[in-house]
């Protein structure tokens, strides 16, 4: 029923998977390679969800063949749901499901915001009836390029895109970089702009579209720069549940309708966090697969020490159960992705393929993980030392940057040792495709 495109979705793929599991609907995690091999048509999926991450990377993985397959899926009646990078992928310079383009930032400061934004909601079948305002979560979002009246006159298709939500004002937990905006005294942002020329208030709040939708052939697209799948985000979760219920309306299979209706009926906060609910307790306990599975639990405990050290050094801080915030000098996105991917590995159903993979590849993975943990701890300490020393007596910035690249790769796209560990965990997850949970 639901396909989740996994490639280039660090962290965000796990949030989508967490939400999809809780719908109770049948789903499958698919890859770009499988898209190129026409899996969407062969298995007759109804919904394709593309999580956040780099839209450019996703396009590169799909290639033109995979992109054509997704366009055909939508044109023939499928529903494409894209969050953040998945939304960007669907715009005119990507899949071209939506005739709008991307709206770029004048500076990266405007992009580096996270938390909830109060949004104005518009009447639409995809929005719960009577919902006029909603607190929607954004995590370093992109922007849609809303067309002008003149552009719509030249291209009427641009005027057929429906705006479901617009950003209006900061929520109580909104951050710019690692600065909690709600804690600032009144007029501080204006003073900083006048005194220092620094603009921290994001232009997202200037009525920009947050969620849009439209038709493509016989199908449709729903694109959201808000992560509606964010755990324990009541308004966002209610909207996502209603969207799925609406999309599946009219399906012949009664059990699917019942699952969709039950998911929506759970109401606010339905996307619970995999890190704090008994529903997702480790499944290797009390099973026949005990020979090597606990190694992942031990590594998970060792990785948590990195976050404890980062917190003690004031380079990391707890945002939610599933997310640590970070000082701008730290590659927090990659660290969070690794934490969530490793935690997910603990709750994956055991099967022979996963057990065999652990037996043959687990020791090497453990060694690589321990090397990464040791290197990251040393790097965090050196990073903190740099902040404590005068510039003339500090550690060479080139050395710190070289170590960072070795551990985490490129700032936007990841990689390094952390990327290798994430690739291993992705392989481990995908080994369950023949024994999917429903």
């Amino acid at each position: 029923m639901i396909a989740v495109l996994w490639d280039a979705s660090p962290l965000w793929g796990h949030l989508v998977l967490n939400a999809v599991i809780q719908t109770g609907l049948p789903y499958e995690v698919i890859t770009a390679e499988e898209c190129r091999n026409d899996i969407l048509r062969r298995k007759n999926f109804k919904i394709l969800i593309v999580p956040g991450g780099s839209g450019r990377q996703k396009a590169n993985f799909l290639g033109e063949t995979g992109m054509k397959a997704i366009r055909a899926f939508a044109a023939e009646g499928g529903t494409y749901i894209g969050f953040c990078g998945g939304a960007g992928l669907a715009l005119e310079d990507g899949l071209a499901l939506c005739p709008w383009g991307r709206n770029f930032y004048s500076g990266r400061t405007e992009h580096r915001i996270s938390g909830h934004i109060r949004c104005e909601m518009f009447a639409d079948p995809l929005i719960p009836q009577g919902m006029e305002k909603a607190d929607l979560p954004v995590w370093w979002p992109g922007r849609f390029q809303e067309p002008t009246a003149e552009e719509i006159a030249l291209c009427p298709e641009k005027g057929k895109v429906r705006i479901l939500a617009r950003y209006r004002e900061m929520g109580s937990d909104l951050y710019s970089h690692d600065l909690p905006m709600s804690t600032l005294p009144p007029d501080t942002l204006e003073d900083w702009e006048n005194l220092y020329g620094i603009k921290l208030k994001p232009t997202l709040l200037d009525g920009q579209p947050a969620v849009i939708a439209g038709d493509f052939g016989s199908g449709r697209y729903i694109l959201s720069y808000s992560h509606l799948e964010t755990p324990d985000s009541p308004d966002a979760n209610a909207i996502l549940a209603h969207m799925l219920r609406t999309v599946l309306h009219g399906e012949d299979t009664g059990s699917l309708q019942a699952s969709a209706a039950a998911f929506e009926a759970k109401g606010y906060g339905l996307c619970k966090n995999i890190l704090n609910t008994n529903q997702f307790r480790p499944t290797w306990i009390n099973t026949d697969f005990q020979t090597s599975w606990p190694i992942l639990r031990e590594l998970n405990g060792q990785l948590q020490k990195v976050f404890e050290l980062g917190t003690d050094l004031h380079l990391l801080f707890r945002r939610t159960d599933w997310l640590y915030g970070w000082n701008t000098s730290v590659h927090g996105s990659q660290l969070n992705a690794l934490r969530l991917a490793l935690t997910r590995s603990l709750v994956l159903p055991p099967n022979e393929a996963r057990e065999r993979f652990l037996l043959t590849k687990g020791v090497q993975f453990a060694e690589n993980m321990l090397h990464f943990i040791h290197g990251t701890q040393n790097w965090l300490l050196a990073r903190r030392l740099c902040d404590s020393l005068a510039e003339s007596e500090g550690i060479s910035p080139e050395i710190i940057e070289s170590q960072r690249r070795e551990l985490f790769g490129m700032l936007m796209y990841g990689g390094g040792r952390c990327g290798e560990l994430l690739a291993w965990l992705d392989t481990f997850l995908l080994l369950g495709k023949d024994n999917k949970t429903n």
Side-chain angles (χ1 to χ4, degrees), residues 49-121:
I49 301 181
V50 182
S54 168
R56 183 175 300 174
Q57 278 190 312
K58 294 176 192 295
N60 289 339
F61 278 118
L62 285 165
E64 187 54 37
T65 301
M67 303 272 273
K68 285 181 179 178
I70 292 178
R71 285 194 289 267
F73 160 79
E76 294 168 8
T79 294
Y80 178 103
I81 301 177
F83 297 120
C84 210
L89 176 66
L91 299 178
E92 62 179 355
D93 62 345
L95 291 166
L97 302 181
C98 173
W100 286 14
R102 306 167 193 259
N103 196 0
F104 296 98
Y105 296 98
S106 57
R108 299 302 297 176
T109 295
E110 297 178 62
H111 167 69
R112 291 171 180 163
I113 63 168
S114 58
H116 285 76
I117 296 181
R118 176 59 59 90
C119 293
E120 179 183 7
M121 309 303 297

Side-chain angles (χ1 to χ4, degrees), residues 12 15 116 137-139 227-234 236-237 271 322:
W12 313 114
L15 261 64
H116 285 76
V138 295
W139 305 107
H227 283 271
L228 303 178
E229 80 284 16
T230 297
D232 298 310
S233 185
N237 298 167
C271 294
W322 64 272

